[in-house]
PDB file of all heavy atoms in Angstrom:
ATOM      1  N   SER A   2      27.474 -43.715-112.907  1.00 56.00           N
ATOM      2  CA  SER A   2      26.881 -44.299-111.712  1.00 56.00           C
ATOM      3  C   SER A   2      27.338 -43.532-110.478  1.00 56.00           C
ATOM      4  O   SER A   2      28.489 -43.151-110.349  1.00 56.00           O
ATOM      5  CB  SER A   2      27.250 -45.779-111.612  1.00 56.00           C
ATOM      6  OG  SER A   2      28.450 -45.954-110.933  1.00 56.00           O
ATOM      7  N   GLU A   3      26.388 -43.342-109.594  1.00 66.00           N
ATOM      8  CA  GLU A   3      26.694 -42.653-108.346  1.00 66.00           C
ATOM      9  C   GLU A   3      26.869 -43.682-107.250  1.00 66.00           C
ATOM     10  O   GLU A   3      26.136 -44.656-107.170  1.00 66.00           O
ATOM     11  CB  GLU A   3      25.569 -41.690-107.980  1.00 66.00           C
ATOM     12  CG  GLU A   3      25.477 -40.507-108.911  1.00 66.00           C
ATOM     13  CD  GLU A   3      24.437 -39.508-108.442  1.00 66.00           C
ATOM     14  OE1 GLU A   3      24.200 -39.412-107.233  1.00 66.00           O
ATOM     15  OE2 GLU A   3      23.868 -38.840-109.306  1.00 66.00           O
ATOM     16  N   THR A   4      27.846 -43.432-106.421  1.00 63.00           N
ATOM     17  CA  THR A   4      28.066 -44.310-105.287  1.00 63.00           C
ATOM     18  C   THR A   4      27.145 -43.865-104.159  1.00 63.00           C
ATOM     19  O   THR A   4      27.121 -42.679-103.827  1.00 63.00           O
ATOM     20  CB  THR A   4      29.537 -44.222-104.815  1.00 63.00           C
ATOM     21  OG1 THR A   4      30.378 -44.443-105.942  1.00 63.00           O
ATOM     22  CG2 THR A   4      29.822 -45.231-103.732  1.00 63.00           C
ATOM     23  N   PRO A   5      26.371 -44.788-103.601  1.00 58.00           N
ATOM     24  CA  PRO A   5      25.482 -44.377-102.509  1.00 58.00           C
ATOM     25  C   PRO A   5      26.318 -43.917-101.306  1.00 58.00           C
ATOM     26  O   PRO A   5      27.424 -44.416-101.073  1.00 58.00           O
ATOM     27  CB  PRO A   5      24.691 -45.652-102.180  1.00 58.00           C
ATOM     28  CG  PRO A   5      25.468 -46.775-102.760  1.00 58.00           C
ATOM     29  CD  PRO A   5      26.289 -46.207-103.882  1.00 58.00           C
ATOM     30  N   PRO A   6      25.802 -42.950-100.574  1.00 62.00           N
ATOM     31  CA  PRO A   6      26.559 -42.473 -99.417  1.00 62.00           C
ATOM     32  C   PRO A   6      26.714 -43.585 -98.383  1.00 62.00           C
ATOM     33  O   PRO A   6      25.831 -44.427 -98.225  1.00 62.00           O
ATOM     34  CB  PRO A   6      25.708 -41.328 -98.869  1.00 62.00           C
ATOM     35  CG  PRO A   6      24.342 -41.551 -99.419  1.00 62.00           C
ATOM     36  CD  PRO A   6      24.512 -42.325-100.695  1.00 62.00           C
ATOM     37  N   GLU A   7      27.850 -43.579 -97.743  1.00 73.00           N
ATOM     38  CA  GLU A   7      28.081 -44.581 -96.703  1.00 73.00           C
ATOM     39  C   GLU A   7      27.215 -44.258 -95.497  1.00 73.00           C
ATOM     40  O   GLU A   7      27.017 -43.107 -95.154  1.00 73.00           O
ATOM     41  CB  GLU A   7      29.555 -44.581 -96.281  1.00 73.00           C
ATOM     42  CG  GLU A   7      30.467 -45.178 -97.307  1.00 73.00           C
ATOM     43  CD  GLU A   7      31.875 -45.320 -96.784  1.00 73.00           C
ATOM     44  OE1 GLU A   7      32.057 -45.580 -95.589  1.00 73.00           O
ATOM     45  OE2 GLU A   7      32.794 -45.149 -97.587  1.00 73.00           O
ATOM     46  N   ASN A   8      26.730 -45.306 -94.880  1.00 73.00           N
ATOM     47  CA  ASN A   8      25.959 -45.100 -93.657  1.00 73.00           C
ATOM     48  C   ASN A   8      26.917 -44.777 -92.523  1.00 73.00           C
ATOM     49  O   ASN A   8      27.950 -45.438 -92.351  1.00 73.00           O
ATOM     50  CB  ASN A   8      25.163 -46.359 -93.309  1.00 73.00           C
ATOM     51  CG  ASN A   8      24.040 -46.610 -94.293  1.00 73.00           C
ATOM     52  OD1 ASN A   8      23.509 -45.675 -94.871  1.00 73.00           O
ATOM     53  ND2 ASN A   8      23.688 -47.871 -94.478  1.00 73.00           N
ATOM     54  N   PRO A   9      26.592 -43.756 -91.749  1.00 74.00           N
ATOM     55  CA  PRO A   9      27.474 -43.443 -90.625  1.00 74.00           C
ATOM     56  C   PRO A   9      27.443 -44.566 -89.591  1.00 74.00           C
ATOM     57  O   PRO A   9      26.439 -45.245 -89.430  1.00 74.00           O
ATOM     58  CB  PRO A   9      26.892 -42.159 -90.052  1.00 74.00           C
ATOM     59  CG  PRO A   9      25.503 -42.072 -90.574  1.00 74.00           C
ATOM     60  CD  PRO A   9      25.455 -42.882 -91.832  1.00 74.00           C
ATOM     61  N   ASP A  10      28.545 -44.755 -88.930  1.00 80.00           N
ATOM     62  CA  ASP A  10      28.650 -45.780 -87.900  1.00 80.00           C
ATOM     63  C   ASP A  10      28.180 -45.171 -86.576  1.00 80.00           C
ATOM     64  O   ASP A  10      28.951 -44.564 -85.846  1.00 80.00           O
ATOM     65  CB  ASP A  10      30.097 -46.275 -87.796  1.00 80.00           C
ATOM     66  CG  ASP A  10      30.249 -47.423 -86.816  1.00 80.00           C
ATOM     67  OD1 ASP A  10      29.288 -47.720 -86.067  1.00 80.00           O
ATOM     68  OD2 ASP A  10      31.334 -48.024 -86.783  1.00 80.00           O
ATOM     69  N   PHE A  11      26.887 -45.312 -86.297  1.00 74.00           N
ATOM     70  CA  PHE A  11      26.307 -44.694 -85.111  1.00 74.00           C
ATOM     71  C   PHE A  11      26.866 -45.278 -83.820  1.00 74.00           C
ATOM     72  O   PHE A  11      26.981 -44.574 -82.821  1.00 74.00           O
ATOM     73  CB  PHE A  11      24.784 -44.787 -85.136  1.00 74.00           C
ATOM     74  CG  PHE A  11      24.169 -43.931 -86.202  1.00 74.00           C
ATOM     75  CD1 PHE A  11      23.536 -44.503 -87.295  1.00 74.00           C
ATOM     76  CD2 PHE A  11      24.235 -42.547 -86.125  1.00 74.00           C
ATOM     77  CE1 PHE A  11      22.981 -43.713 -88.295  1.00 74.00           C
ATOM     78  CE2 PHE A  11      23.678 -41.746 -87.114  1.00 74.00           C
ATOM     79  CZ  PHE A  11      23.059 -42.327 -88.197  1.00 74.00           C
TER      80      PHE A  11
END
Side-chain angles (χ1 to χ4, degrees):
S2 88
E3 291 185 29
T4 308
E7 287 187 34
N8 291 331
D10 185 350
F11 291 112

